[in-house]
Amino acid sequence: HKGSPLAIQALVRKAEIEEQRFLPAKAIETYPQLNAASRSDQLTAANDLRRAVALLDLHQDDQALAVFRRMDGDPLVPFQQACVAGYHIGATLERAGRLDEAMGAYESFVRKYEKREELKQNPELAELLASAKWKLDKVKWLKSLSAVAQRGFIPRPAPPKGE
């Protein structure tokens, strides 16, 4: 029966097999079916994250970004999944070479989550925040390096002391 626990388990297993066999195009079709059968916000959010990652595997970055952005702004999405989606916004933009947008996304993520108690209580989410801060610094560095390269000027390193 559609929507029964057994039917939901079968769809979950189907999506897992599709992921294991590296069939992301099939998996992205299965997740909406699973969400339609499920009545759990947490399961729906987990499926949406997995679907967005499958979209990334297919190089459909804009579609994946749309999923991540919707999840990050949806109050019905559980905190942990919203946090992961928020982080992936910056990572997806960085991967696409959209450094200005990636920098803004990482800055927004850090502002939104750095003072949240839930992060302090969850080591994995705390690590995600630390990673976002590091990636923000990396993107800033890449932007400055790009600006220097565009000017055609690469500074010589300072000579060692004593020479």
Side-chain angles (χ1 to χ4, degrees):
H1 296 302
K2 199 173 190 175
S4 72
L6 189 57
I8 292 170
Q9 288 175 351
L11 283 171
V12 167
R13 185 66 185 131
K14 181 178 185 265
E16 288 172 348
I17 290 169
E18 291 165 347
E19 286 178 357
Q20 290 169 354
R21 293 195 177 156
F22 303 104
L23 300 169
K26 291 283 186 190
I28 62 172
E29 294 172 4
T30 301
Y31 287 120
Q33 296 170 13
L34 185 52
N35 286 349
S38 171
R39 291 180 178 88
S40 163
D41 289 340
Q42 189 161 353
L43 182 58
T44 297
N47 293 334
D48 285 347
L49 276 175
R50 292 173 80 170
R51 181 174 180 269
V53 170
L55 288 165
L56 288 175
D57 288 344
L58 293 168
H59 301 284
Q60 296 178 14
D61 293 3
D62 288 336
Q63 288 180 322
L65 269 172
V67 174
F68 292 138
R69 285 181 170 140
R70 182 191 51 75
M71 292 181 71
D72 185 46
D74 186 344
L76 296 178
V77 172
F79 177 80
Q80 184 169 346
Q81 283 94 347
C83 185
V84 171
Y87 173 83
H88 275 290
I89 294 169
T92 302
L93 291 165
E94 180 183 358
R95 170 183 137 153
R98 295 159 59 179
L99 298 183
D100 288 330
E101 292 175 78
M103 192 168 67
Y106 285 132
E107 287 171 342
S108 175
F109 177 84
V110 169
R111 275 193 316 273
K112 183 175 184 176
Y113 291 105
E114 74 180 332
K115 294 188 175 152
R116 297 288 300 260
E117 280 301 313
E118 296 96 326
L119 251 70
K120 296 173 185 170
Q121 298 168 3
N122 185 323
E124 292 168 351
L125 296 181
E127 185 63 33
L128 206 58
L129 178 64
S131 179
K133 288 178 178 179
W134 180 84
K135 284 181 156 282
L136 176 59
D137 288 342
K138 181 183 117 183
V139 169
K140 287 178 180 177
W141 176 77
L142 285 171
K143 281 183 48 86
S144 69
L145 185 63
S146 176
V148 167
Q150 285 178 356
R151 288 194 309 261
F153 172 74
I154 299 180
R156 292 192 342 212
K161 291 183 179 180
E163 289 187 22

